[in-house]
Amino acid sequence: MSSKRPNQLFRNMPAKVAAIPMVVTALFIFVGGTAWTVVYSFTKSGLLPRLKWVGLDQYERLWGTNRWLVSIENLAIYGICMLVLVFVIGFILAALIDQKIRFENTIRTVILYPYALSFVVTGLVWQWILNPEFGVQGIVRDLGWQSFTFNPLYSPQIAIFGVLIAGLWQGSGLVMVLMLAGLRGIDQEVWKAARVDGIPTWKTYIFIVIPMMRPVFITTLVLVVTGIVKIYDLIVAQTGGGPGIATEVPAKYVYDMMFQAANLGQGFAASTMMLVTVALIIIPWAMLEFGGKRRV
Amino acid sequence: MTFSVEIKNLDLHFGNVAVLQQLNLDIHEGEFLVLLGSSGCGKSTLLNCIAGLLEVTDGQIFIGGENVTWAEPSERGIDMVFQSYALYPQMTVEGNLTFGLKNAGLPKIEIAERVKRAAGILQIEPLLKRKPAALSGGQRQRVAIGRALVRDVDVFLFDEPLSNLDAKLRADLRVEIKKLHGQLNNTMIYVTHDQIEAMTLADRIAIMKGGKIMQLASPHEIYNRPRNLYVADFIGSPSMNFLNGEISGGNFMVGKLTIPLDGYEFAKGSRQEGKAIIGLRPEHIVTGDNLASAAMRTKVTVELVEPMGSDTLIYATLAGTFIHVRMDGQVQAASGDEIEIGFLPDRASLFDPVSEERL
Ligand SMILES: Nc1ncnc2c1ncn2[C@@H]1O[C@H](COP(=O)(O)OP(=O)(O)OP(=O)(O)O)[C@@H](O)[C@H]1O
Ligand SMILES: [Mg+2]
C-alpha cells in the first residue's frame, strides 16, 4: 500500500464515470439552452431566432401586457392555494390511513389513481364535472334545487379555482403516499413514548412527527412546486385559458408567444422572467438549507 | 401487604390469537422484577398492557392500589424506557426531558429542578444542549431513562433497554440501572431476554412462555430449583444436562449408572418412584479436588474441550447422552483423556417426563 493520500480525482471513479452523461446533458441542454434563451430575449426574434438587439424592449412589452399580468396573478393564486391545500389534504389523508384502517390498499390506490392520469384527462374530466348543464350543477338542479349555482369555469373571477379543484384532485394522492411513507418511517416507539409522556395526538404530530418527516416534506415540496410552476396542460385541456383570459398562466403565455404568435423574443423574455422568479425563491432557500454550517 | 402493581386474570388477544392468557402477577413496592423469556413469548405485550399502550381483552390491572385498566398511560404513574430509546430527534436533550412536563403545565422552576436532579443522577449535564443524533447509544439510553426520571413516577417499565448497546456498555449500564434502583427505590419492571441481566438485576424473575408465567421466584430459586423442564433448560449457559432414567429405591438409574438421591429435596416432600429426568448443571458435575464431596463417581472420555479462560468446558458421553461439564480453568485436559466425574444429588433437579414438572 502506498502511504500517499489517494488523488481526489480518482475516488469513487465508477460513480463519476456513470454521472458523465447526465453532467454533459445538464451542461449542454439546461445551462446552454438557458443561456441561449436569455440572450435571445434581448433580440427582436420573430418566427425565427435572429440576433437583432432591441435591449429591454421585449421586457417592457411583457410587463405592459395585461395577459401576462393576469397570468402571473393566476399562478400566484393557484400556486399558494395549491401548495397549502395539497399539503393539508395529503397529510390529513395520510394520517387517517395511518390509523391501521381496513382496506388501506384499496383506499390508497383509489386516492392515488388520479395521479396516474395525464393532466389532459384530468382537465377534461373536470371540465365535464363543472359543466353547468351536465355536471354537478345540472345534477343538483335535476334533483329539485333549481336555484343551485355552481359554475366556476364560466365566471372569470373564480375560474382559476375551478382549475385548482382539478389540480388538487390530481395532486393530493401523490402527496398522500409520500406523507404516508414518511409516517410509516416513524418509529412506533416514539409514538408510545409521547403517549406515556401525556402528549395529545395533535401535538405529537406537530411537534414530534412532522419535524421528523422533514426530508419527506422537502422532497414533496420540490415535486409540488415544480408541478405548479410548469402548469400548462391542465389549463389547455380544462379551460383553454378562458373564459377570456381568466385562467391564463405564464407557461401558456410562453408557449403561445413562441409557437402561435410567432414572437420568439417575447416568449424568451417571458420564460426568462419565470426562471428569474424561480431562482429568487430557490437560491435564498438553498443557501439557508445547505449553506452555513452543516446540520446534524 | 400492599402491591405496587397487581395484574389479575389478564387476557390479551390480537384478532383471534391469544398472546396473554389468564395472567396473574403481583409486584411488591420497590421491587425489581424482570420478565424473561424467549422471543415472541409476550413480554413486550405484557409491559405495554401495564403501560396502557395496549387495550386488554379481559382482566384488570392495579397500580398503587388503583384500578387503571382503562386509564391513559400518562395517568398511571408509570414511565417506560424503550429499546430504540424513542427520543424526540428534533429536540435537544433538555427538550426531550421537559416536553412532557411543559405539556402537563408544571411551573418552570419545578421543571428546572427536576431536570437538574435527573441530569445529576445520570451524569448527563454536559449533554443537555445537544440533539440525540450527537449522542452515543449509551448516552441516548441515559437520556431516555432521564425522561422517565423527571416524571417522578412510582413504576418504571423497561423494554429491553440495553439490547442495542455493545457488550461492554451493556455491562456498565446494567450496573448503573441497579445503582439507580438502589437510589430511587421505585418499582421497576424490566423486560429482557438476556439471562445475565435478569440474574444480576432482579429481585424476582418471571419466566414467560407462550403468554404464561412459568415460574416467578428469586434468581437463586430459579437457578437452583427450576419448577419445570422449560425453566431448567432456559436458565443457565451452557444449559443443564438432562438424563432420562428411573427413580427406584432412592436411587436414580440411568443405563449402568446408579446415582443415589440422598439429600435431594422432593417438591412434594416425600420420595417419588418411576420414570424421571434428572437435570444436572455443568458446574454441579464435579471433577478434580471436589470429587471428595460427590455422592457417586464415574469415568468418562473427553471428546471436546472448550477453554473459556476462567473455566473450561468438557464434552463427553454419559449413559448414551452428550453432556458438558464445567471444570476449573487451570486444569489442562485434551480430547481422548479419561477423567473422573462426580455428582452432587442435592444440587440436581428431577422432573416428571410427562408433565415436565419438578419432582
Ligand atoms: N400487533 C400485533 N398483531 C398480531 N400479533 C402480534 C402483534 N404484536 C405482537 N404480536 C404477537 O404477539 C406475540 C408476543 O409478542 P411480543 O412482542 O410481546 O413478544 P416479546 O416477548 O416481546 O418478544 P421479543 O423478545 O422478540 O421482543 C408474538 O407472537 C407476536 O407475533
Ligand atoms: Mg419485545
Side-chain angles (χ1 to χ4, degrees), chain B residues 167-180:
Chain B
K168 168 94 174 60
L169 208 54
R170 208 180 307 165
D172 292 349
L173 247 103
R174 196 173 71 211
V175 176
E176 280 190 39
I177 289 179
K178 186 153 190 170
K179 270 197 215 150
L180 190 68

Side-chain angles (χ1 to χ4, degrees), chain B residues 44 159-160 191:
Chain B
S44 300
D159 193 354
E160 304 196 25
V191 165

Side-chain angles (χ1 to χ4, degrees), chain A residues 100, chain B residues 12-15 17-20 37-48 54 83 159-160 191-193 208 211:
Chain A
K100 307 222 165 62
Chain B
L12 187 116
H13 299 200
F14 284 118
V17 187
V19 175
L20 301 177
S38 55
S39 193
C41 68
K43 309 181 292 290
S44 300
T45 307
L46 175 57
L47 208 65
N48 282 321
L54 281 176
Q83 179 178 354
D159 193 354
E160 304 196 25
V191 165
T192 180
H193 51 225
M208 292 182 63

Side-chain angles (χ1 to χ4, degrees), chain A residues 51-238:
Chain A
L51 272 175
K52 194 147 187 235
W53 303 105
V54 291
L56 289 172
D57 269 11
Q58 297 286 12
Y59 290 92
E60 276 170 27
R61 252 187 72 201
L62 181 68
W63 288 102
T65 309
N66 190 34
R67 183 177 157 191
W68 172 253
L69 297 178
V70 171
S71 301
I72 295 280
E73 192 192 340
N74 279 340
L75 186 65
I77 296 174
Y78 176 86
I80 292 170
C81 295
M82 180 76 180
L83 202 58
V84 172
L85 290 177
V86 92
F87 267 90
V88 170
I89 295 174
F91 188 82
I92 289 177
L93 285 175
L96 290 179
I97 289 194
D98 195 36
Q99 309 303 311
K100 307 222 165 62
I101 52 167
R102 289 207 288 167
F103 310 118
E104 179 194 319
N105 285 336
T106 320
I107 294 173
R108 206 175 43 197
T109 312
V110 167
I111 297 178
L112 186 59
Y113 211 85
Y115 188 72
L117 303 177
S118 81
F119 263 127
V120 176
V121 177
T122 304
L124 283 178
V125 167
W126 280 91
Q127 192 187 9
W128 292 334
I129 295 179
L130 299 177
N131 183 299
E133 271 162 54
F134 317 114
V136 179
Q137 178 179 315
I139 292 171
V140 175
R141 283 193 181 175
D142 285 348
L143 290 175
W145 286 276
Q146 284 302 331
S147 60
F148 180 79
T149 308
F150 183 64
N151 189 8
L153 293 188
Y154 290 82
S155 357
Q157 293 83 17
I158 57 163
I160 192 69
F161 294 101
V163 178
L164 179 67
I165 295 177
L168 283 175
W169 179 74
Q170 167 138 23
S172 302
L174 178 74
V175 176
M176 180 200 72
V177 281
L178 289 170
M179 294 290 148
L180 188 57
L183 285 174
R184 288 286 152 85
I186 305 276
D187 184 355
Q188 282 304 310
E189 293 194 337
V190 169
W191 275 106
K192 290 185 182 174
R195 267 192 80 189
V196 171
D197 251 351
I199 320 278
T201 311
W202 67 269
K203 261 195 184 174
T204 311
Y205 271 118
I206 291 179
F207 292 108
I208 298 166
V209 172
I210 291 180
M212 284 174 84
M213 284 169 62
R214 186 193 163 86
V216 179
F217 269 90
I218 289 175
T219 311
T220 315
L221 188 71
V222 170
L223 288 176
V224 171
V225 169
T226 51
I228 289 171
V229 172
K230 68 182 190 196
I231 179 167
Y232 169 75
D233 28 14
L234 181 61
I235 301 281
V236 170
Q238 199 181 355

Side-chain angles (χ1 to χ4, degrees), chain B residues 166-207:
Chain B
D166 67 53
K168 168 94 174 60
L169 208 54
R170 208 180 307 165
D172 292 349
L173 247 103
R174 196 173 71 211
V175 176
E176 280 190 39
I177 289 179
K178 186 153 190 170
K179 270 197 215 150
L180 190 68
H181 181 241
Q183 221 170 331
L184 302 174
N185 256 310
N186 292 44
T187 308
M188 295 193 175
I189 307 178
Y190 187 104
V191 165
T192 180
H193 51 225
D194 182 335
Q195 293 186 28
I196 313 277
E197 260 172 44
M199 298 295 280
T200 52
L201 288 173
D203 292 326
R204 282 192 302 165
I205 300 177
I207 306 249

Side-chain angles (χ1 to χ4, degrees), chain B residues 184-242:
Chain B
L184 302 174
N185 256 310
N186 292 44
T187 308
M188 295 193 175
I189 307 178
Y190 187 104
V191 165
T192 180
H193 51 225
D194 182 335
Q195 293 186 28
I196 313 277
E197 260 172 44
M199 298 295 280
T200 52
L201 288 173
D203 292 326
R204 282 192 302 165
I205 300 177
I207 306 249
M208 292 182 63
K209 179 196 179 193
K212 291 195 184 119
I213 293 179
M214 305 303 281
Q215 185 167 9
L216 172 63
S218 68
H220 182 86
E221 174 90 5
I222 287 210
Y223 190 77
N224 292 296
R225 294 178 56 83
R227 194 198 281 162
N228 54 39
L229 208 57
Y230 178 81
V231 175
D233 194 29
F234 188 79
I235 288 286
S237 169
S239 59
M240 211 181 233
N241 299 298
F242 294 106

